[in-house]
Amino acid sequence: MAKLIFFPAFKILLISVVSSTGDDGENFARTIDRKLSGLHKKEKLTHYKVYWHDMVSGPNPTSIIIHAPVKNSTTYFGGISMIDNALTAKVSRNSTLLGQAQGFYAGAAQKELGFIMAMNFVFKTGKYNGSTITILGRNSAMSKVREMPIVGGSGLFRFARGYVEARTKWVNFTSVDATVEYSCYVLHY
């Protein structure tokens, strides 16, 4: 009988101790000094160009379909491709490798070739080695110039924001391999 009374009493005591700590869910956030995050520095605008190589064909594709588009779609609607595309210094795929574009794009338009792009540019060389920028936006692929927002970053691009302009430099309409110039304008600290 003592055990039957002990366990409910212990539970009541435990609940009262936990609730008496005063944590009502309001203490999950706090204001911190901007200097701790590097936000006291002057913000700068960096511009750079990279060439994005989307290789669908060949023995080592850098873009693979992970969900097929809807049946009879001429716009890739509903299709999703995962990417690990090379970012190079020049149009040639064999030029200096600057990093990788890792993420996905999905066919998001029924009546035109339009994608939702979600990718990180992961830099692997020079001053920006280990830093990233994150791009998330609409890519109307048949437009001469497409603008997409930069929504964040890491490393030297921590707290980044800005935009990219994408211009197709080369596309093979049989294999659907493509090279796209990304001109990036990044505000960061």
Side-chain angles (χ1 to χ4, degrees):
M1 180 72 169
K3 285 184 182 179
L4 291 175
I5 294 172
F6 175 75
F7 286 114
F10 180 73
K11 284 182 184 178
I12 291 169
L13 179 63
L14 184 62
I15 290 169
S16 67
V17 169
V18 170
S19 64
S20 69
T21 63
D23 187 6
D24 56 2
E26 295 296 320
N27 297 321
F28 69 92
R30 63 186 172 94
T31 303
I32 61 172
D33 186 348
R34 293 172 64 87
K35 290 179 183 178
L36 294 174
S37 296
L39 296 176
H40 64 289
K41 300 174 187 172
K42 185 178 178 184
E43 193 172 36
K44 52 191 160 239
L45 175 64
T46 300
H47 173 254
Y48 59 89
K49 270 186 196 171
V50 294
Y51 295 88
W52 182 88
H53 300 275
D54 196 47
M55 299 297 127
V56 178
S57 67
N60 296 309
T62 63
S63 176
I64 60 166
I65 296 172
I66 60 172
H67 188 274
V70 296
K71 191 174 182 177
N72 299 324
S73 173
T74 58
T75 65
Y76 197 70
F77 180 66
I80 303 171
S81 290
M82 188 64 59
I83 63 168
D84 187 11
N85 292 345
L87 296 172
T88 63
K90 297 186 178 174
V91 175
S92 170
R93 190 168 178 211
N94 296 324
S95 69
T96 303
L97 181 68
L98 301 175
Q100 300 296 125
Q102 298 171 331
F104 68 89
Y105 55 84
Q110 293 183 17
K111 297 184 177 168
E112 65 178 308
L113 196 58
F115 299 101
I116 177 83
M117 307 287 291
M119 61 185 163
N120 290 315
F121 282 8
V122 182
F123 297 97
K124 297 183 175 183
T125 188
K127 174 182 175 180
Y128 298 107
N129 184 23
S131 297
T132 68
I133 62 166
T134 301
I135 298 163
L136 173 64
R138 183 175 190 275
N139 183 347
S140 181
M142 298 309 285
S143 296
K144 184 176 180 179
V145 179
R146 290 91 65 195
E147 188 175 299
M148 291 168 272
I150 295 170
V151 298
S154 67
L156 291 179
F157 292 123
R158 190 175 296 138
F159 291 104
R161 65 188 193 283
Y163 71 99
V164 298
E165 292 178 346
R167 293 172 176 83
T168 303
K169 292 299 180 182
W170 173 82
V171 65
N172 179 322
F173 288 103
T174 303
S175 68
V176 202
D177 293 344
T179 299
V180 178
E181 174 189 279
Y182 276 82
S183 190
C184 307
Y185 299 86
V186 188
L187 282 166
H188 61 101
Y189 291 93

